[in-house]
Amino acid sequence: MATLPDLPQTEIAIIDMTNAFRKESRLGTVKPNAALTTAARIFADYLAKTGKFAHEADGRGPAERVGAQGYHYCLVSENLAMNRDSRGFESRALARRAVDGWKNSPGHRANMLQPTVTEIGVAVARAPDRDPKFISVQLFGRPEALKVEFRIENHAQAPIRYTLGEKTHTLPQRSIVTHASCDPRRLTFGQLGTLQRFEARNGDRFVVRTRGEVIVVVVEHK
């Protein structure tokens, strides 16, 4: 007779293993969130009942599903796993199978190691099959309340270029811009070889000047 897992215990184990993996990478832990958990549970049940398996299987994306549960997000990402074995699974063994699969997939691994996410929701559902088959949904989020707002002022004698995340911006001379960012860690000024890197905090003011041909950035904290 096949071994069947305790699904609530499997979900707890997935969260514990995820946080252990993040700790290995010197990242903060993620805490369970009720809205993310509900969104994960509804989607896991849907995938299990319909046999579909895709991030937009129900015609919506992860952000839409968590939004429907009242989660006001800054960042959202989702991992899915399907595990099947005629022998069944112990609870932690099923959790380990799902987590190891995500760790060994570059995209899923990146979701698990996002530095700025703070919350998690996990759900596991059994799918109809001759052999024990389980769908796991893992959601990561950073709430909108943790969005970081900061200002950049260009007092240099020419336009300046800076990069926030993956996007490069040009700020004209004597101009001011305000950013509200979900990932303020990757703020850089200058060019390759002279880059100045910052992690913005809420209320920071970045004043940019030039000293000769060198860009000088002064940070004033709120």
Side-chain angles (χ1 to χ4, degrees), residues 2-64:
T3 301
L4 296 179
D6 179 302
L7 296 188
Q9 290 301 314
T10 302
E11 293 161 359
I12 291 171
I14 287 175
I15 294 173
D16 289 345
M17 291 175 188
T18 298
N19 276 326
F21 184 45
R22 288 177 63 84
K23 187 176 180 180
E24 290 171 7
S25 301
R26 299 182 180 179
L27 296 173
T29 59
V30 286
K31 297 180 180 181
N33 173 273
L36 291 179
T37 300
T38 299
R41 191 166 310 287
I42 291 171
F43 194 46
D45 288 343
Y46 175 85
L47 295 177
K49 290 175 182 177
T50 63
K52 298 179 180 179
F53 190 74
H55 291 288
E56 297 184 352
D58 63 350
R60 301 181 298 173
E64 293 173 281

Side-chain angles (χ1 to χ4, degrees), residues 6 8 34 38 99 103 119 130 137 144 156 161 169 184 195 219:
D6 179 302
T38 299
V99 170
K103 288 166 68 173
E119 297 176 323
R130 181 183 63 184
V137 177
E144 188 178 37
R161 290 171 64 84
H169 305 263
L195 289 178
V219 186

Side-chain angles (χ1 to χ4, degrees), residues 73-74 142-149 179-184 202:
Y73 61 89
C74 197
R142 180 182 178 90
E144 188 178 37
L146 293 184
K147 187 175 288 187
V148 173
E149 187 170 299
H179 285 282
S181 176
C182 293
D183 186 3
N202 202 47

Side-chain angles (χ1 to χ4, degrees), residues 2-202:
T3 301
L4 296 179
D6 179 302
L7 296 188
Q9 290 301 314
T10 302
E11 293 161 359
I12 291 171
I14 287 175
I15 294 173
D16 289 345
M17 291 175 188
T18 298
N19 276 326
F21 184 45
R22 288 177 63 84
K23 187 176 180 180
E24 290 171 7
S25 301
R26 299 182 180 179
L27 296 173
T29 59
V30 286
K31 297 180 180 181
N33 173 273
L36 291 179
T37 300
T38 299
R41 191 166 310 287
I42 291 171
F43 194 46
D45 288 343
Y46 175 85
L47 295 177
K49 290 175 182 177
T50 63
K52 298 179 180 179
F53 190 74
H55 291 288
E56 297 184 352
D58 63 350
R60 301 181 298 173
E64 293 173 281
R65 287 191 289 273
V66 303
Q69 299 306 315
Y71 189 80
H72 301 287
Y73 61 89
C74 197
L75 293 172
V76 171
S77 59
E78 180 182 73
N79 286 342
L80 304 179
M82 180 189 297
N83 299 105
R84 177 177 176 271
D85 194 314
S86 61
R87 297 165 297 180
F89 300 91
E90 294 285 350
S91 302
R92 287 191 65 83
L94 176 56
R96 174 58 64 194
R97 183 80 68 87
V99 170
D100 283 350
W102 292 328
K103 288 166 68 173
N104 293 323
S105 166
H108 298 91
R109 183 186 184 94
N111 285 342
M112 295 176 74
L113 296 180
Q114 289 182 94
T116 54
V117 295
T118 59
E119 297 176 323
I120 189 172
V122 172
V124 182
R126 185 177 180 182
D129 197 273
R130 181 183 63 184
D131 297 321
K133 177 180 175 182
F134 299 91
I135 306 297
S136 300
V137 177
Q138 182 183 56
L139 282 165
F140 294 98
R142 180 182 178 90
E144 188 178 37
L146 293 184
K147 187 175 288 187
V148 173
E149 187 170 299
F150 59 93
R151 185 168 70 175
I152 300 173
E153 300 182 10
N154 181 12
H155 295 276
Q157 301 303 310
I160 61 167
R161 290 171 64 84
Y162 64 94
T163 300
L164 178 59
E166 303 295 334
K167 190 172 182 180
T168 299
H169 305 263
T170 299
L171 184 63
Q173 183 182 4
R174 299 190 183 89
S175 296
I176 298 173
V177 65
T178 298
H179 285 282
S181 176
C182 293
D183 186 3
R185 300 169 305 106
R186 296 180 295 167
L187 174 63
T188 60
F189 294 86
Q191 298 177 345
L192 191 62
T194 60
L195 289 178
Q196 299 177 65
R197 296 179 173 86
F198 299 90
E199 180 173 341
R201 291 186 285 180
N202 202 47

